[in-house]
Amino acid sequence: MDIDTGSGTSGGAGFAHPLLAWLAGVGAGIDAAIECPTLSLPLGEYEGALRQIAVCEAKLASLRLSLTRQAELNEVRKLTGAANTAGWVQQVTRMGRREASVSVRLAKALDQTLQATSRALGEGGISLGQAQVIERAIRRLPNDVDAEVRAEAEAFLLDSAQALDVDDLDKAGKHLYEVIAPEDAERRIGKQLEEQERRARENRTLAFGPVRDGMGTVFLRLDVPTLAVLQALLDPLARPRPSGPEGPDGRSGERRYPDAFSEFLGVAQAAVDAPNRGIVRPRLTVTMSYDGLVNKVGYATLNSVLADPGPTDLKVTSRSDEDRGGQAVIGYRITGPPLSATLVRQLACDAEIIPVVLGGDGAVLDLGRGTRLFTSSQRHALAERDGYYCNFPGCRRPEKWTEAHHINHWIDGGATDLNNGVLLCQHHHTTIHTQGWTVRMSDDGHPEYLPPPWGDPYQNPIRPNDTTIRR
């Protein structure tokens, strides 16, 4: 081929490389094709036209990668001051940084080790995406795999590319070594998994974030077996509740799983073999005024490590102290997250929460009574009486997932007796405390429920369907 080597520049009458002339012709042809109306193209020709365009794209991609490789070998990047060839490609083509890096890496592989893939791309036999998948799959092979096995793997993927799209070819590439060397792959994969699982166990993470506006965050990373166990435990609790007096369950899946997690924690806390220190079961402590607890007003403080408790003691000067000369008294600093009085009353029904009720002067009046909580024998008797499910009409939560609710709250003088108790799941326990529903004991010794007046102005009592009772 004759090449004009005149003294001019590429834009004038001097040097004109055949590649540039060819590209100019291709560009003009593409411009003409773009301007050509497609409306008159017969429907049967659409497939052929699209396939031909895909072949042209593959061939142009092969040319671009070949030119990229030569630019790297000739260090063309230095003409523009780019840090590396990928940076130069990014400048010239306006690719993203990652796409440019992938392009340079593929160009090098096609030149050095994947000549068969390079030929297939240049002939339009595979697409650019398929070539990228093949390069990635071959690169993932163990470092000590010899050239003959790598060539066999490349041939297998090129053959598969004739029937598989990019996504399916990528899936095949992830199992490439298992196909070409199944016995050795099994050994290698076993060792890789053992190491991966060891690192996963060592890198398990659980951290509590700050509490704001009544919400806290937990950062949790688990190894696969632990995560699978957690999901298996939550799945039954996260199923939509059946329709009942409240209507269908309108919660989204994203809402049902945190609700299920909260319910699961309640079940774990109530378990006989719950984690403990000696003979003390897991407990929380809340602090609030006695009047607020009885009258459902104000708020409580949850004494928890969720917030920095600050110094052990703190000097506090009250107005009455100032009247007596401003003498400071030593008190305890309470800086935990706040809880409403309504939520504290609900938790006090059946949770291991010790209310530290304070008088007007801050003195501790009561640390809770052991008889406040229903015993396991009482829970069993309640289940025998009302059925081994949540007693709320239409609910089928098993008894082991329920909480014992005082019909007449213990704070209001209610006793921890069978005729003052009922088993409710966490959701319906919350409903009774917050949504205006009322539960009372009927004349025949079984609980019945009164809906809120905005749901039923007459507040007709509702009894659990007899078919839900299993004894």
Side-chain angles (χ1 to χ4, degrees):
M1 178 182 294
D2 296 333
I3 299 177
D4 183 358
T5 58
S7 59
T9 62
S10 60
F15 180 82
H17 195 282
L19 176 61
L20 300 179
W22 181 88
L23 288 174
V26 170
I30 292 177
D31 289 341
I34 292 175
E35 294 174 358
C36 180
T38 58
L39 184 62
S40 59
L41 185 68
L43 298 183
E45 301 296 332
Y46 272 74
E47 179 179 338
L50 194 60
R51 289 184 182 276
Q52 187 60 37
I53 292 173
V55 169
C56 291
E57 287 178 339
K59 292 181 177 181
L60 283 172
S62 174
L63 177 61
R64 175 174 60 81
L65 291 169
S66 176
L67 187 63
T68 298
R69 178 56 177 163
Q70 289 301 316
E72 182 175 39
L73 294 175
N74 293 328
E75 297 186 317
V76 175
R77 63 179 179 81
K78 293 182 178 180
L79 299 177
T80 62
N84 48 45
T85 303
W88 175 76
V89 170
Q90 185 179 5
Q91 291 176 359
V92 174
T93 64
R94 295 190 294 276
M95 288 182 181
R97 181 181 304 174
R98 181 180 180 278
E99 185 183 7
S101 298
V102 169
S103 180
V104 173
R105 185 179 65 212
L106 177 60
K108 182 177 181 179
L110 294 179
D111 177 52
Q112 291 185 335
T113 59
L114 301 180
Q115 286 86 4
T117 302
S118 179
R119 289 192 297 271
L121 182 64
E123 295 168 358
I126 61 173
S127 69
L128 174 61
Q130 289 176 314
Q132 292 172 334
V133 167
I134 292 173
E135 185 276 329
R136 185 164 59 244
I138 298 298
R139 179 164 41 85
R140 286 174 179 162
L141 291 175
N143 293 331
D144 57 349
V145 172
D146 58 36
E148 183 177 350
V149 174
R150 289 179 181 274
E152 182 182 350
E154 182 184 10
F156 167 77
L157 290 175
L158 285 172
D159 184 59
S160 301
Q162 304 308 307
L164 302 179
D165 60 25
V166 171
D167 293 335
D168 288 338
L169 186 64
D170 187 48
K171 294 176 184 177
K174 292 178 180 177
H175 299 281
L176 178 61
Y177 197 57
E178 298 173 51
V179 174
I180 60 175
E183 294 182 0
D184 190 48
E186 185 175 356
R187 176 185 62 82
R188 290 177 184 269
I189 292 173
K191 287 187 175 181
Q192 290 173 359
L193 288 175
E194 288 178 2
E195 177 60 21
Q196 177 179 300
E197 291 160 359
R198 182 191 65 79
R199 291 197 306 267
R201 288 191 297 270
E202 293 179 352
N203 293 323
R204 287 186 292 200
T205 303
L206 192 156
F208 292 93
V211 176
R212 297 189 182 94
D213 300 326
M215 293 289 291
T217 304
V218 178
F219 303 93
L220 182 63
R221 295 177 69 244
L222 296 174
D223 56 293
V224 172
T226 305
L227 191 63
V229 170
L230 177 61
Q231 184 173 5
L233 290 170
L234 295 182
D235 279 345
L237 300 176
R239 293 171 184 164
R241 292 187 298 269
S243 296
E246 305 164 280
D249 189 351
R251 299 173 301 162
S252 65
E254 292 182 353
R255 168 67 188 278
R256 293 199 307 270
Y257 269 93
D259 288 353
F261 187 69
S262 177
E263 188 172 351
F264 167 71
L265 291 179
V267 174
Q269 187 184 39
V272 175
D273 56 351
N276 62 80
R277 288 279 189 260
I279 61 172
V280 180
R281 291 173 62 192
R283 288 177 173 174
L284 300 177
T285 303
V286 296
T287 303
M288 71 177 302
S289 69
Y290 177 77
D291 290 340
L293 190 61
V294 172
N295 298 321
K296 308 181 192 178
V297 296
Y299 66 94
T301 301
L302 176 63
N303 305 336
S304 167
V305 294
L306 290 176
D308 181 7
T312 304
D313 52 66
L314 183 70
K315 290 185 178 181
V316 180
T317 303
S318 66
R319 186 177 301 276
S320 60
D321 296 324
E322 293 175 353
D323 295 339
R324 294 195 299 268
Q327 182 180 4
V329 288
I330 300 298
Y332 293 99
R333 183 183 185 188
I334 305 298
T335 59
L339 304 177
S340 69
T342 299
L343 180 55
V344 173
R345 288 173 65 93
Q346 176 186 338
L347 295 174
C349 277
D350 195 40
E352 279 292 337
I353 294 202
I354 308 301
V356 181
V357 182
L358 302 181
D361 59 356
V364 176
L365 300 179
D366 197 352
L367 288 175
R369 303 180 301 276
T371 55
R372 176 176 62 85
L373 303 180
F374 286 91
T375 66
S376 58
S377 297
Q378 287 176 310
R379 286 180 58 94
H380 181 74
L382 290 173
E384 282 286 336
R385 184 192 69 192
D386 300 325
Y388 285 89
Y389 295 95
C390 167
N391 187 252
F392 196 90
C395 187
R396 299 283 291 177
R397 292 289 195 193
E399 176 267 335
K400 65 179 180 179
W401 295 346
T402 61
E403 302 166 353
H405 168 71
H406 289 75
I407 295 175
N408 181 26
H409 205 293
W410 70 275
I411 296 172
D412 301 324
T416 308
D417 296 335
L418 296 183
N419 61 5
N420 192 43
V422 63
L423 298 180
L424 298 172
C425 69
Q426 187 182 72
H427 168 73
H428 287 119
H429 196 181
T430 303
T431 297
I432 293 296
H433 278 274
T434 64
Q435 301 300 319
W437 283 77
T438 302
V439 56
R440 70 185 184 187
M441 194 63 69
S442 65
D443 294 338
D444 63 358
H446 287 275
E448 60 184 15
Y449 299 82
L450 305 180
W454 57 85
D456 178 4
Y458 301 101
Q459 292 190 284
N460 294 310
I462 302 175
R463 298 285 299 275
N465 192 313
D466 291 338
T467 59
T468 67
I469 297 179
R470 298 289 184 271
R471 302 193 174 206

